[in-house]
Amino acid sequence: MKRAYKFRLRPTVRQAHALIEMLRDHRSLYNAALQERRDAYRHTSKTSIKYGDQSAQLKEIRTFDRERQGRWSFSSQQATLRRLDRAFAAFFRRAKAGQTPGYPRFKGSGRFDTVIFPKDGDGCRWDSTPHHPVTRVRLQGVGHVRVHRHRPVKGRVKTVSVKREGRHWYVILACDEVPAEPLPQTGAIVAIDMGVTHFLTTSNGVHIANPRFSEASAEALAEAQRALDAFPRGTRERTKKHRAAARKVTELHAKTRRRRLDHHHKTALALVRHHDVIGHEQLNAAGMTRAPRTRPDPDNDGAFLPNGAAAKAGLNRSILGAGWGQFLRVLANKAESAGRQVVSVDARNTSRTCPECGHVAKENRTTQAKFECTSCGFLANADHVGALNILNRAGLALCVAT
């Protein structure tokens, strides 16, 4: 299996300054490579520059600029150029598919936060002091940085990434050949129905509350955002108060993300520990949170009819705040590690189908929380009904697979 481990770095003042400079120089390399591609295409010859062309220039760049670009790992700089190449590949793929292309843009200081070392031992070394009780990672140009390793690393370390989040630094290890740790069989099977009123409801009728972390921090975030909006946008030299206001907004967002991820891990772990098979819906969160189309008014030129965008925006915030996609990824990873099975089924009509008689009708779900079959009169909680239908479909899917 492949797994990623994330640990907090504890750099000294000198090392923290070197990390900032490393991030700055990699961002400068990225922006310069992007500018070169733009200039070449705007030329009358319409020259197309690829990764190989720009990677071949690295040796000359490092020789010319020894104090900056020459300090850092050659392989990590190649990884930065590959990052730009992937951005252009995605741009051309979306343009070819008729989607909104999104041309790669220059990275400001707040939009470039990661440096990747493609191979452990090439410009970096994980656990560089193995005989010392404190774990360290060696980074070329920075030194041996202390790591707060809160759990053991298993498998073979393939890539090492250094990431800045606000004022903190982290190291992320991508590991291969991570051994599975199967849990004892329980003989239980369960299905879950994701929601916003309840975070999820199981086929056993258990409701897991939606903690609504985004709403809990909404007031403090709005106040911090108002303080930040008082400063002019686009300014190059920020004052101390301006930087503090921006840092406050960043920290509130980061705290919400951490609380949400912690809740997802704990909920997924509880499901995996007590069930051998877990069924869930195939959810397209991106499609579900897409803004409604505008409705032009045929009688008034340039006017539009109400399309429910305000109500949809509130629902979208609730869906994105719950983080369904992230939770299902965490659940799949934990199930794989524990030797459990996760089955995804078609989500269509799971909340409109009666689990007793099989009657499908929109009128069966009278309200958001109430299900009442118009054929047989079966009455239950709507989320519980959805979980029961997912359970039935997951069972059928398992029968077909076997």
Side-chain angles (χ1 to χ4, degrees):
M1 296 185 302
K2 296 180 180 180
R3 287 292 178 266
Y5 298 88
K6 183 177 180 180
F7 301 110
R8 176 87 173 269
L9 291 178
R10 306 287 187 180
T12 63
V13 174
R14 183 191 64 80
Q15 290 173 340
H17 184 67
L19 287 170
I20 293 174
E21 290 181 338
M22 181 178 68
L23 206 59
R24 177 203 62 192
D25 293 340
H26 276 77
R27 178 172 62 89
S28 176
L29 178 66
Y30 182 97
N31 289 338
L34 173 56
Q35 184 65 55
E36 184 184 28
R37 291 196 181 209
R38 285 164 57 101
D39 293 343
Y41 186 76
R42 287 173 176 175
H43 193 265
T44 54
S45 61
K46 298 290 185 182
T47 305
S48 178
I49 296 181
K50 303 296 184 182
Y51 160 76
D53 304 320
Q54 295 186 318
S55 179
Q57 303 175 38
L58 270 179
K59 184 177 180 180
E60 183 180 349
I61 293 172
R62 290 167 59 86
T63 303
F64 176 77
D65 190 7
R66 292 184 180 276
E67 293 185 359
R68 293 186 60 178
Q69 297 297 341
R71 295 174 58 188
W72 316 116
S73 163
F74 187 89
S75 298
S76 67
Q77 292 172 327
Q78 287 181 315
T80 298
L81 294 179
R82 288 193 196 96
R83 176 177 172 179
L84 176 64
D85 193 62
R86 288 194 298 270
F88 270 97
F91 164 74
F92 289 120
R93 183 184 67 250
R94 290 190 295 267
K96 187 176 180 180
Q99 302 171 351
T100 303
Y103 190 83
R105 63 179 179 177
F106 293 101
K107 301 294 185 180
S109 59
R111 293 186 176 275
F112 193 97
D113 56 10
T114 305
V115 173
I116 301 174
F117 297 85
K119 183 180 179 181
D120 183 28
D122 188 358
C124 68
R125 170 63 68 186
W126 167 248
D127 198 7
S128 58
T129 55
H131 303 295
H132 197 276
V134 177
T135 303
R136 288 181 171 85
V137 58
R138 186 187 67 80
L139 304 172
Q140 181 176 329
V142 179
H144 298 266
V145 186
R146 190 160 63 96
V147 180
H148 178 66
R149 185 169 68 170
H150 58 274
R151 59 172 174 161
V153 175
K154 299 181 180 179
R156 180 170 58 91
V157 177
K158 293 192 65 177
T159 66
V160 178
S161 302
V162 176
K163 185 175 183 180
R164 180 178 63 185
E165 293 184 4
R167 291 180 292 179
H168 304 307
W169 294 89
Y170 296 88
V171 61
I172 302 172
L173 310 175
C175 298
D176 202 359
E177 302 174 5
V178 178
E181 299 178 355
L183 294 175
Q185 296 292 314
T186 64
I189 178 173
V190 74
I192 58 175
D193 180 75
M194 308 299 298
V196 292
T197 303
H198 304 288
F199 177 68
L200 65 82
T201 301
T202 70
S203 54
N204 300 326
V206 178
H207 298 291
I208 303 297
N210 186 358
R212 302 182 185 276
F213 295 121
S214 298
E215 295 181 11
S217 62
E219 186 175 346
L221 182 60
E223 183 179 351
Q225 191 65 57
R226 284 193 296 270
L228 178 60
D229 291 341
F231 297 94
R233 295 187 180 184
T235 180
R236 289 181 177 271
E237 297 296 333
R238 290 183 171 184
T239 63
K240 184 177 181 180
K241 289 185 177 180
H242 192 175
R243 291 195 299 270
R247 187 164 58 245
K248 181 65 174 179
V249 173
T250 302
E251 290 174 351
L252 286 172
H253 280 296
K255 182 177 180 180
T256 300
R257 286 196 302 271
R258 290 195 301 269
R259 295 180 69 191
R260 184 187 298 118
L261 182 60
D262 179 68
H263 176 256
H264 290 172
H265 274 284
K266 291 177 178 177
T267 305
L269 183 60
L271 288 170
V272 166
R273 280 177 174 171
H274 298 100
H275 304 94
D276 293 341
V277 181
I278 304 167
H280 67 82
E281 301 169 289
Q282 295 173 353
L283 297 176
N284 179 14
M288 296 174 68
T289 55
R290 188 177 293 116
R293 293 183 178 180
T294 56
R295 298 175 55 195
D297 189 347
D299 299 328
N300 296 321
D301 219 12
F304 296 90
L305 297 173
N307 63 347
K312 186 66 166 63
L315 177 61
N316 291 350
R317 282 193 297 270
S318 298
I319 294 174
L320 296 173
W324 294 345
Q326 176 179 266
F327 170 75
L328 294 178
R329 287 192 296 272
V330 170
L331 178 64
N333 290 336
K334 289 189 179 297
E336 183 183 16
S337 298
R340 306 304 202 200
Q341 188 172 0
V342 174
V343 181
S344 60
V345 301
D346 190 355
R348 285 178 293 184
N349 293 324
T350 52
S351 62
R352 299 177 178 180
T353 303
C354 178
E356 291 292 324
C357 66
H359 177 64
V360 182
K362 181 180 179 180
E363 294 75 17
N364 284 351
R365 189 165 186 172
T366 56
T367 65
Q368 182 67 24
K370 182 180 178 182
F371 180 93
E372 186 174 2
C373 181
T374 57
S375 177
C376 69
F378 177 75
L379 183 65
N381 178 272
D383 294 334
H384 186 204
V385 167
L388 290 174
N389 287 322
I390 295 169
L391 180 66
N392 294 333
R393 295 184 185 184
L396 291 175
L398 286 173
C399 292
V400 171
T402 55

